[in-house]
Amino acid sequence: MPTKKKPQVTPSPERRRELLDTAAEVFAAQGYNATTVRRIADEAGMLAGSLYYHFDSKESIIDEILSTFLTELWEGYDAVLAAGLGPRETIEALVTESFREIDRHRAAVAIYQKESRHLATQPRFGYLVDSQQKFEKAWLGTLERGVADRVFRADLDVRLTYRFVRDTVWVAASWYRPGGQHSPEEIARQYLSMVLDGIALDT
C-alpha cells in the first residue's frame, strides 16, 4: 500500500514574521557568520529541522530580512522625494522617515550596518549596492539643491554633511528601543533641531 506523502508545512504570515523577527534579533546580536540555524531555531522555540520547512538556508533568512526592510524604506523615501517639497522640508521628512524605519526594523538596520558590505559581494545581495547608490543620490541631490536655492550655506561640504547626517541618524539603531520614552517623530525633531539649527544660542 503506497504511503501518503507528508503535507508541506506552510507557515502563516504571522508565524513567518515572528520567525524573521527572532532571526533578525539573533543576527543583530551575534553577527551573520557566528549565527547558526540551530541558534535561530532555539530562540524561536523549535527544532532546527523544523526551521527548514520555512526557509531553505540561513542566507535566505537574512535576505528576506534585509529586502523587506529596504522595500519599506524606499516606499517611504520615494513618497517623500515625489512630494515636491523644498530642500529643508525634504531633509526633515527623510530624517523622520528614517527614524520610523528604525522603530519598525531596528534589528534589520543594525544588520544592514554590520553586514551589508560583506554581503554585497555576493550576487544574491546586489540590491544592497543599488540601494546604497540610490540612497546617496537622494541625500546628496537634496543637499546640493538646498545650496543652489540658498536654503543651506554656500560653503557647505555636501558630501561631508551627507555622511554626518547619515551616520548620526542610523547609528541610533544601536540604542533605540521601540516603545521608549520618545516617539520616532520626537527623536527626529530633536535631531533635526541640532543638525539644522545647532545647539548654541545666538549671541
Side-chain angles (χ1 to χ4, degrees):
M1 184 176 179
T3 58
K4 290 185 178 180
K5 190 175 182 181
K6 190 175 181 179
Q8 181 68 35
V9 176
T10 302
S12 68
E14 293 77 15
R15 180 55 174 159
R16 189 177 185 86
R17 183 73 259 161
E18 288 173 3
L19 293 174
L20 287 167
D21 288 345
T22 298
E25 292 294 340
V26 177
F27 284 133
Q30 294 199 335
Y32 177 68
N33 288 334
T35 297
T36 63
V37 170
R38 180 180 294 277
R39 178 56 191 272
I40 296 170
D42 287 345
E43 290 295 320
M46 63 196 307
L47 297 173
S50 299
L51 194 60
Y52 284 109
Y53 281 116
H54 308 300
F55 306 97
D56 61 16
S57 66
K58 183 175 79 167
E59 186 180 62
S60 292
I61 298 173
I62 201 167
D63 185 6
E64 188 162 342
I65 291 168
L66 291 174
S67 62
T68 298
F69 155 60
L70 288 174
T71 295
E72 189 170 310
L73 174 72
W74 280 108
E75 286 174 355
Y77 269 27
D78 286 340
V80 169
L81 296 170
L85 302 172
R88 179 176 176 129
E89 292 75 19
T90 299
I91 292 293
E92 290 172 342
L94 289 175
V95 168
T96 301
E97 189 60 36
S98 298
F99 277 106
R100 287 173 178 154
E101 288 305 311
I102 292 172
D103 182 63
R104 297 182 190 114
H105 299 289
R106 184 203 59 80
V109 173
I111 295 167
Y112 181 85
Q113 291 177 316
K114 294 178 187 177
E115 310 289 353
S116 60
R117 182 171 296 184
H118 164 68
L119 292 172
T121 62
Q122 304 176 35
R124 179 172 189 163
F125 295 93
Y127 63 86
L128 295 176
V129 177
D130 296 338
S131 182
Q132 177 57 40
Q133 291 173 345
K134 186 179 176 183
F135 187 90
E136 184 173 306
K137 182 179 179 181
W139 282 84
L140 287 177
T142 302
L143 290 167
E144 289 167 352
R145 183 161 59 95
V147 172
D149 292 352
R150 298 186 179 182
V151 175
F152 302 141
R153 296 197 328 249
D155 65 337
L156 196 70
D157 184 321
V158 293
R159 186 164 292 276
L160 186 61
T161 303
Y162 155 68
R163 289 173 176 166
F164 171 74
V165 176
R166 176 197 64 190
D167 294 348
T168 301
V169 169
W170 291 107
V171 77
S174 66
W175 56 260
Y176 179 82
R177 292 297 179 272
Q181 181 179 357
H182 301 294
S183 69
E185 292 78 12
E186 171 61 18
I187 296 174
R189 189 187 68 78
Q190 291 280 351
Y191 267 57
L192 285 162
S193 175
M194 289 184 281
V195 169
L196 296 173
D197 301 320
I199 63 172
L201 289 171
D202 292 332
T203 57

